[in-house]
Amino acid sequence: MPKRAKRLNATEMARLVERYEAGATVYELAAELDVHRTIISRRLKGAGVQMRFTPLTEEQVEAAIKLYDKGLSLSTVGRELGFNASTIYRALKQHGAEMRKPWDHPLRRALTLDVPHT
């Protein structure tokens, strides 16, 4: 679990901005500092940095669809590919993937089918 964010001095903050502007993702920076990605986003926005949205590549979308079709949750697929669950959801919807209802999860369905009804 990420720890509480430490205070960054001006030099460390400049380095954070520099790394982000050089292409590092919010997720990578969060992992390096062992904090949640939203903390990195807030700090970068507070420093006046224009945030970028990185859509999934076609290969990543294909991988996401395969993982989701295997029964993985959006959160798990996102962790596997380095994206937020909502980003995965949008990409899958845009590519016409059929989205499960929360109660229609294949693993949950398999568990309920194995339970004998009396």
Side-chain angles (χ1 to χ4, degrees):
M1 168 157 261
K3 298 178 185 94
R4 177 173 242 192
K6 71 171 194 152
R7 296 235 177 246
L8 298 179
N9 64 36
T11 304
E12 292 168 324
M13 192 61 207
R15 178 74 179 132
L16 182 71
V17 170
E18 178 184 304
R19 294 252 308 109
Y20 181 78
E21 290 178 342
T25 67
V26 170
Y27 291 92
E28 291 168 343
L29 296 170
E32 289 172 17
L33 294 175
D34 196 24
V35 296
H36 195 270
R37 66 172 177 76
T38 58
I39 292 170
I40 299 299
S41 293
R42 272 189 254 136
R43 290 202 173 155
L44 290 169
K45 288 175 187 174
V49 174
Q50 176 66 42
M51 303 301 291
R52 63 181 180 266
F53 172 71
T54 309
L56 278 70
T57 65
E58 287 301 316
E59 293 82 21
Q60 289 170 322
V61 171
E62 289 174 21
I65 290 171
K66 286 178 185 175
L67 292 170
Y68 186 73
D69 286 346
K70 284 183 180 180
L72 274 63
S73 68
L74 292 170
S75 295
T76 304
V77 173
R79 268 194 307 279
E80 288 287 320
L81 299 176
F83 289 89
N84 186 283
S86 60
T87 304
I88 298 296
Y89 176 81
R90 277 192 306 274
L92 294 181
K93 287 286 284 186
Q94 288 174 351
H95 285 80
E98 188 169 333
M99 305 307 292
R100 295 186 295 267
K101 301 291 184 214
W103 58 85
D104 197 27
H105 193 282
L107 298 176
R108 181 178 297 156
R109 195 171 345 119
L111 290 174
T112 59
L113 292 176
D114 291 341
V115 176
H117 295 279
T118 57

